[in-house]
């Protein structure tokens, strides 16, 4: 008994060449998107705007502005909590954006280690 492949499946060397071209284009698109995301900057506010953090797509902090109103030497814990919230939110935003943008290229295929 012969197995029949659905239309568009198989097709020999020409189909394999087409798949290789598609894979190469996807890889090129992903590299370009990685560069674009690395250069992107994200601004995050925490503590009701008392802290403003700017981070790059490479997760490098560019600026950190702290409203002097929240600087209370008797309550460093609150300021620390606000700073931690700002850093964590910034990292989440960078990672979510990268995942979304790469998903557009890969069709949301799971490709561990590619980005």
């Amino acid at each position: 008994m012969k197995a029949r492949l659905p239309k568009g499946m198989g097709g020999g060397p020409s189909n394999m060449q087409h798949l290789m071209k598609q894979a190469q284009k996807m890889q090129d698109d992903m590299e370009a998107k990685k560069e674009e995301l690395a250069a992107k900057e994200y601004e995050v506010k925490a503590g009701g705007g008392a802290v403003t953090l700017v981070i790059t797509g490479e997760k490098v902090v560019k600026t950190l502005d702290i409203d002097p109103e929240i600087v209370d030497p008797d309550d460093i814990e609150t300021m620390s909590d606000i700073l931690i919230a700002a850093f964590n939110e910034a990292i989440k935003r960078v990672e979510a954006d990268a995942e979304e943008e790469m998903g557009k290229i890969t069709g949301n295929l799971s490709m561990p280690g590619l980005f």
Side-chain angles (χ1 to χ4, degrees), residues 8-88:
M9 298 297 285
S14 65
N15 193 39
M16 182 57 88
Q17 287 175 341
H18 178 69
L19 287 173
M20 293 300 289
K21 284 181 183 177
Q22 282 182 315
Q24 183 62 49
K25 182 181 181 333
M26 184 185 296
Q27 186 175 19
D28 293 344
D29 290 349
M30 288 176 67
E31 283 301 316
K33 185 56 73 176
K34 278 190 217 179
E35 289 177 21
E36 179 185 323
L37 289 169
K40 194 170 179 180
E41 291 186 357
Y42 301 82
E43 181 178 278
V44 175
K45 294 184 182 289
V51 171
T52 303
L53 172 76
V54 176
I55 188 170
T56 69
E58 292 180 311
K59 300 177 193 165
V60 174
V61 176
K62 299 268 301 208
T63 62
L64 176 64
D65 294 320
I66 302 170
D67 184 343
E69 299 271 326
I70 69 161
V71 180
D72 179 358
D74 295 328
D75 191 11
I76 296 298
E77 187 176 340
T78 297
M79 190 168 81
S80 294
D81 290 344
I82 292 170
L83 291 172
I84 289 168
F87 284 105
N88 287 335

